[in-house]
Amino acid sequence: MREWQFRTKEWLQGKIWAKSTPVGPVMVTADEFDPAQSVLHTRVNGETMQEHSIGDLLFTPEHLVAYFSTMLPLNPGDINLTGTPGGVGRARNPQVFLKSGDVVEVEIDGLGVLINKIVDPA
């Protein structure tokens, strides 16, 4: 996906592939979740790579939905993929890249944990 992601300065094409965009383990409505009280934790093979407050966004979800809706129609259930907190492997020194066999856990307080094992596409 990184090959696609870095074709331009816009990273969206590295985030939207049908069989590799991790979403889950649950989706909730706005009244069931308080982003101001939750932290995103990303671990690779048990090592914390990212840990950041969900409430600390550059733009509010309301702003993003309003902005996106100027470009395309939005429907109930649509997912808006945005940025990522610091700690991504490419920006680390030394760089860290996922490899076959790695286990990635993404946890958001109050929602749960999504666990994915990296597999060789071959």
Side-chain angles (χ1 to χ4, degrees):
M1 299 307 121
R2 294 290 187 218
E3 293 169 4
W4 279 91
Q5 184 170 344
F6 296 119
R7 286 183 175 196
T8 70
K9 290 183 178 185
E10 173 50 56
W11 286 22
L12 181 64
Q13 62 243 6
K15 296 177 181 267
I16 60 171
W17 294 83
K19 293 187 178 184
S20 70
T21 301
V23 178
V26 297
M27 294 181 72
V28 297
T29 58
D31 62 325
E32 297 176 291
F33 176 69
D34 182 3
Q37 302 300 317
S38 295
V39 174
L40 168 85
H41 311 269
T42 305
R43 294 178 291 275
V44 176
N45 301 323
E47 179 184 348
T48 298
M49 303 295 280
Q50 296 175 304
E51 193 167 75
H52 202 89
S53 170
I54 299 293
D56 185 25
L57 299 171
L58 206 54
F59 300 102
T60 66
E62 296 83 3
H63 175 88
L64 292 170
V65 168
Y67 180 69
F68 293 159
S69 68
T70 65
M71 295 177 275
L72 66 155
L74 295 176
N75 297 295
D78 283 351
I79 297 171
N80 297 314
L81 302 170
T82 60
T84 187
V88 295
R90 184 173 188 267
R92 290 176 171 264
N93 187 8
Q95 293 180 326
V96 176
F97 295 99
L98 298 174
K99 59 190 177 310
S100 183
D102 285 348
V103 175
V104 179
E105 300 173 63
V106 179
E107 178 177 8
I108 297 177
D109 297 340
L111 292 183
V113 182
L114 175 67
I115 302 172
N116 287 290
K117 185 174 183 179
I118 305 303
V119 296
D120 188 333

